[in-house]
Amino acid sequence: MRAYLTFRSKPARRSHHLACLLLAGTTLPVFAYAAADPSIAPQTAPQKAAHASKAPASATPNDEEIIVKAKRRNQMEVTSGGQLGVLGNKKGLDVPFNIRSYSSSLILNQQSQTLGQVLENDPSVRTTYGYGNFSEMFVIRGFAVNGDDVAINGLYGITPRQLVSPQLYDSVQVLNGASAFLNGAAPGGSAIGGNINLMFKHATDAPITRLSAGYTSSAMGDGSIDVGRRFGTDKQFGVRLNVAGQSGEDSINNEYRHSTALGADFDWRSRDNRTRISMDMNYQNQGVDGGRPAIFLSSTATSVPRPASPSHNYGQKWAYNDLNYIFGMLNIEHDLSKNVTLYGAFGALHGDEKGNYSSPTITNSSTGDGTAGAMYVPYSQTNESTRAGVRAHFRTGFIKHEINAGGSALWEDTGAAYSMALTSLNTNLYNTPRVSSPAETYVGGVLDNPQTTSSTQLYSLFFSDTMTFLNGRVALTGGFRYQNMLINAYDYSTTGRGALSSHYDQDAITPVVGLVIHPTRQTSLYFNRIEGLSQGPTASGNVVNLGEVFPPYKSTQYEVGAKYDIGRFSAGLAFYQISQPNAYSEALGTTGSYVYRVDGLQRNRGMELTVNGEILPGLRFNGGGTLIQASLRRTAGGAYDGNTAIGVPNYTINGNLEYDLPFLKGATVVGRVVNTGKQWVNETNTLHIPVWTRFDVGARYTFTTYHKPVTLRFGIDNIANTRYWSSAFNGYLLQGLPRTFKFSFTTDL
């Protein structure tokens, strides 16, 4: 760690003092301390006393130092490493997986309002909407990560499932690749190509009181307060409080969004730091009124329609959602000795959602004519999730072992109802009529009190051993997880839980093998074979094996790569292959009947390059690129063999650049480019959306007022106001946002 010595003498004498010290061979003690900027060390106690006797009573902090500290706090920070479930917190260079962490300073500086906006920085992630609603869904290595399957501190089931307020989190972590061993099976059945994990904010040793406020075009305001303190003689107790909110019309015409996020995070550590306990309690409300939806294409659409004007809203005013969640978790760690640690975590979530949705289906691509429906869906969810285990370090001869063993469990109970209109509305993509909400007369369940429609129970046991030898240059990880899935679905009912409509009770074992070789301290080569796991299907439709329950899907991944990390700069290169089974209905000979089979395959092969850190003094870069080939294999009758999977771009490129202006202290200019390759819209590969590119620019300026740092930020997303379809995943089209202006300021009190 670098440390800087600060001299309070006159400027002309600083170099003289330093030269004398160097010539005399004097060694000064430099004390590191946990501050907002750890690279600036305080003076020793004798130095402070000496200066105190000479300085006048009215002496004030050095504003130049305050600006430097605040400017560094605001830098774009992306680190290699993060929380790896079973394996715990690891440095990226030491594990056979590709993981990155995006810091809270990046979230604040880019004025990110949703989790999807944070992940716009990652070259391997693309964001789309869920089916027929406004929820964010993420695509990693060509496979979906549903909002249900985003984790917090490695626990599934406790994250708000549609939209996430990023202001509550200290980091957003992205793991590329399958993770059934590391985290267990995701309850929503996704997270095959990657995993997203959030880490709550907690109090740091340095106190923080941070106020922020901002404005987003065309008329949205936001504000937040972030307060953290530690108490006790040894600062054993910590409290972190976060309050954030926004409301108003965003850059899409007549689309209004609102959000409120409240977070209270408490932690305690024993004086010897052998016991660590944290408790996090959170509330989040998010809502969209008159939202612009994704669009579907009917079988009569012979081409992909041209996107509408960037800010045009082809949704209806009465379409909305309102999402309320209470969630939190308790973490406990205790070191039995310096080599053995026990840990446990318990989390819970209660969600209450409701929304009226209307997604257009385009029937004429040239004119934009189409139809739209209307459907009201109330949804409730109560989840509990837990994990416990032991981590032990020991040696057998020249081999160092790290043993991880434990188990996890998740209980999820959901209730839903619906009402829908039996007639369709006429609409147009480019000249959208505003119509009244139609009567939604077809009802299922109890609208004001949704009854249970599904229950999920996931249980697992895991074990792994990481063996390190040759003075730490080689590490071999082997392990497995046993997973049991018990899933029941129930009919919609008006009198309590309905009749059991399907029952699923299956188990599977998912192994892992990983190898890391360190040619030097700053580099590593790695290999992994790991599996993804999701619920297998139940035969449905007009098939002879109706109701047959298939075993869980196992997706097998092979990955090799290389990493370079010197702290201030890191880079990674990975090559991978993931094979995911698919199901389909197939004709049963010439009998005229059909059979449901799990015999298809989607094979994704690709390359990922990531680069993060300081290229030159004052110049920082975050980004990279991916290449991906998502091929369909063993399709029904071979009709689509060799075709590319729907909505998976053949390449993606992201580049984020920050430059500190040398002629204006405290000023930084920023720029970002996002480029996404061709995406097919249908399995026949006859319709696709074209390549698109978006440019964002911005600047920030840090200065002091009354010896307090203030940072002003201004940004423009999609500066060229480009109209483009950003995603075709799952076969429906999502349009990119128009030119959006953002302004905010932050001050630390």
Side-chain angles (χ1 to χ4, degrees):
M1 181 183 74
R2 293 180 296 176
Y4 297 91
L5 301 177
T6 303
F7 296 89
R8 300 292 183 185
S9 54
K10 294 181 180 180
R13 299 182 61 189
R14 290 186 185 178
S15 58
H16 172 71
H17 284 183
L18 183 57
C20 291
L21 290 170
L22 293 174
L23 290 172
T26 304
T27 302
L28 290 181
V30 181
F31 296 92
Y33 73 118
D37 181 2
S39 65
I40 299 180
Q43 299 168 350
T44 62
Q47 287 173 318
K48 288 182 179 179
H51 291 316
S53 63
K54 296 179 182 179
S58 59
T60 58
N62 187 312
D63 283 357
E64 184 172 314
E65 286 189 3
I66 293 174
I67 292 174
V68 170
K69 289 182 180 180
K71 185 176 177 182
R72 287 178 178 167
R73 265 200 312 269
N74 284 315
Q75 289 180 358
M76 175 175 62
E77 184 180 3
V78 183
T79 58
S80 174
Q83 210 274 0
L84 281 170
V86 169
L87 301 180
N89 292 304
K90 295 292 183 180
K91 184 180 178 182
L93 199 65
D94 298 331
V95 294
F97 307 104
N98 188 356
I99 182 171
R100 295 164 308 288
S101 298
Y102 297 88
S103 68
S104 57
S105 63
L106 180 146
I107 296 171
L108 178 65
N109 277 309
Q110 295 188 352
Q111 306 171 72
S112 301
Q113 297 164 349
T114 67
L115 180 57
Q117 292 181 6
V118 177
L119 295 175
E120 287 178 347
N121 295 281
D122 197 294
S124 65
V125 181
R126 289 297 181 261
T127 302
T128 184
Y129 276 0
Y131 187 86
N133 56 30
F134 308 116
S135 65
E136 290 184 327
M137 182 172 68
F138 312 100
V139 182
I140 305 177
R141 291 189 173 177
F143 295 103
V145 179
N146 299 331
D148 310 60
D149 296 337
V150 174
I152 296 180
N153 196 21
L155 280 185
Y156 284 131
I158 63 171
T159 308
R161 76 182 194 104
Q162 289 207 40
L163 295 170
V164 173
S165 296
Q167 296 89 346
L168 298 176
Y169 305 101
D170 189 57
S171 70
V172 174
Q173 302 174 350
V174 178
L175 170 67
N176 288 17
S179 60
F181 164 74
L182 298 172
N183 301 293
S190 66
I192 298 300
N195 171 265
I196 298 168
N197 186 50
L198 311 175
M199 301 296 290
F200 284 123
K201 291 179 177 178
H202 287 108
T204 59
D205 285 348
I208 181 175
T209 303
R210 181 171 296 159
L211 300 176
S212 298
Y215 168 85
T216 302
S217 63
S218 58
M220 178 183 291
D222 64 83
S224 67
I225 181 170
D226 184 359
V227 179
R229 294 290 188 277
R230 300 207 68 86
F231 304 95
T233 54
D234 296 307
K235 295 187 176 182
Q236 306 103 304
F237 300 93
V239 178
R240 188 78 176 259
L241 302 176
N242 280 271
V243 181
Q246 67 175 19
S247 181
E249 182 182 11
D250 62 23
S251 54
I252 298 173
N253 293 337
N254 300 313
E255 179 177 283
Y256 296 85
R257 291 178 178 259
H258 65 270
S259 72
T260 302
L262 308 174
D265 307 278
F266 309 92
D267 70 275
W268 174 82
R269 61 197 183 200
S270 60
R271 290 188 175 182
D272 58 7
N273 203 35
R274 291 183 58 183
T275 304
R276 301 165 295 279
I277 301 174
S278 64
M279 182 172 64
D280 309 277
M281 298 181 293
N282 302 270
Y283 167 77
Q284 179 189 296
N285 167 259
Q286 288 253 21
V288 182
D289 295 292
R292 182 170 75 182
I295 71 164
F296 298 83
L297 299 181
S298 77
S299 58
T300 60
T302 57
S303 62
V304 174
R306 185 170 183 258
S309 172
S311 59
H312 177 63
N313 191 342
Y314 33 82
Q316 295 297 329
K317 185 177 181 179
W318 41 265
Y320 78 97
N321 68 359
D322 190 53
L323 317 169
N324 292 277
Y325 307 96
I326 297 175
F327 58 104
M329 69 185 308
L330 173 69
N331 276 284
I332 301 175
E333 292 184 350
H334 177 68
D335 298 332
L336 292 178
S337 67
K338 66 178 182 179
N339 295 324
V340 181
T341 298
L342 299 177
Y343 62 88
F346 175 81
L349 172 142
H350 177 73
D352 183 12
E353 307 172 7
K354 57 184 178 180
N356 205 10
Y357 306 102
S358 177
S359 297
T361 298
I362 303 304
T363 56
N364 189 317
S365 300
S366 299
T367 63
D369 288 336
T371 60
M375 185 174 184
Y376 172 73
V377 179
Y379 184 96
S380 65
Q381 186 178 33
T382 301
N383 299 346
E384 296 174 342
S385 184
T386 187
R387 176 186 66 233
V390 59
R391 186 171 294 117
H393 300 262
F394 61 91
R395 287 185 176 274
T396 57
F398 63 91
I399 301 176
K400 179 181 178 182
H401 296 264
E402 179 183 304
I403 298 293
N404 288 279
S408 65
L410 184 148
W411 302 269
E412 182 178 286
D413 187 272
T414 61
Y418 66 88
S419 64
M420 67 174 66
L422 296 178
T423 59
S424 298
L425 308 171
N426 292 324
T427 189
N428 186 277
L429 182 63
Y430 310 112
N431 186 21
T432 308
R434 302 303 172 193
V435 298
S436 300
S437 176
E440 299 173 359
T441 56
Y442 188 74
V443 178
V446 184
L447 295 178
D448 58 356
N449 186 24
Q451 303 299 305
T452 299
T453 53
S454 70
S455 65
T456 299
Q457 299 176 31
L458 305 178
Y459 303 99
S460 73
L461 298 172
F462 57 82
F463 175 85
S464 72
D465 183 9
T466 298
M467 296 171 285
T468 306
F469 41 93
L470 296 181
N471 294 322
R473 288 187 177 273
V474 178
L476 176 64
T477 298
F480 69 92
R481 183 187 289 260
Y482 165 79
Q483 181 85 56
N484 176 261
M485 301 179 176
L486 176 60
I487 303 169
N488 291 325
Y490 304 93
D491 293 331
Y492 288 95
S493 172
T494 58
T495 56
R497 178 179 291 181
L500 183 68
S501 59
S502 67
H503 173 74
Y504 186 94
D505 188 358
Q506 297 284 324
D507 53 23
I509 293 177
T510 54
V512 63
V513 176
L515 176 67
V516 179
I517 300 174
H518 292 280
T520 69
R521 291 183 179 181
Q522 293 81 29
T523 61
S524 67
L525 305 174
Y526 71 92
F527 161 83
N528 72 61
R529 184 204 180 275
I530 191 170
E531 295 180 351
L533 187 68
S534 58
Q535 176 188 351
T538 300
S540 59
N542 185 22
V543 293
V544 296
N545 58 336
L546 180 66
E548 181 181 354
V549 177
F550 290 86
Y553 279 149
K554 284 188 178 182
S555 305
T556 305
Q557 172 184 286
Y558 297 91
E559 180 180 356
V560 295
K563 301 176 186 178
Y564 174 72
D565 192 342
I566 56 173
R568 62 178 179 83
F569 178 82
S570 65
L573 179 66
F575 299 88
Y576 66 88
Q577 174 181 296
I578 306 177
S579 298
Q580 162 80 342
N582 285 333
Y584 58 84
S585 297
E586 184 179 48
L588 190 60
T590 59
T591 63
S593 299
Y594 290 82
V595 62
Y596 194 86
R597 300 186 188 279
V598 179
D599 195 32
L601 189 72
Q602 179 177 329
R603 189 193 66 189
N604 292 4
R605 288 177 171 173
M607 180 277 291
E608 296 166 341
L609 172 66
T610 55
V611 179
N612 304 295
E614 191 175 40
I615 303 172
L616 297 171
L619 181 64
R620 295 171 295 279
F621 178 82
N622 161 52
T626 72
L627 299 174
I628 185 169
Q629 181 188 58
S631 299
L632 301 178
R633 301 298 176 96
R634 302 201 301 264
T635 59
Y640 307 124
D641 285 2
N643 286 4
T644 300
I646 293 174
V648 181
N650 56 345
Y651 75 89
T652 58
I653 297 174
N654 285 48
N656 299 266
L657 204 62
E658 286 193 351
Y659 179 58
D660 299 331
L661 298 179
F663 53 84
L664 182 59
K665 189 176 295 294
T668 301
V669 293
V670 298
R672 176 167 63 191
V673 59
V674 182
N675 180 228
T676 302
K678 181 172 65 176
Q679 302 175 54
W680 293 103
V681 181
N682 55 2
E683 285 185 317
T684 58
N685 286 182
T686 57
L687 301 178
H688 69 85
I689 61 175
V691 174
W692 61 267
T693 305
R694 194 190 82 199
F695 297 94
D696 307 332
V697 297
R700 64 177 180 268
Y701 179 57
T702 300
F703 60 96
T704 61
T705 177
Y706 295 100
H707 309 293
K708 301 294 182 182
V710 177
T711 300
L712 301 179
R713 306 176 188 87
F714 178 73
I716 308 175
D717 293 345
N718 191 9
I719 189 172
N721 204 29
T722 304
R723 62 169 75 188
Y724 61 97
W725 297 117
S726 64
S727 174
F729 199 77
N730 282 334
Y732 49 87
L733 307 182
L734 179 67
Q735 186 166 348
L737 293 178
R739 182 188 295 122
T740 303
F741 298 90
K742 294 181 178 180
F743 170 79
S744 69
F745 76 88
T746 298
T747 181
D748 288 346
L749 303 178

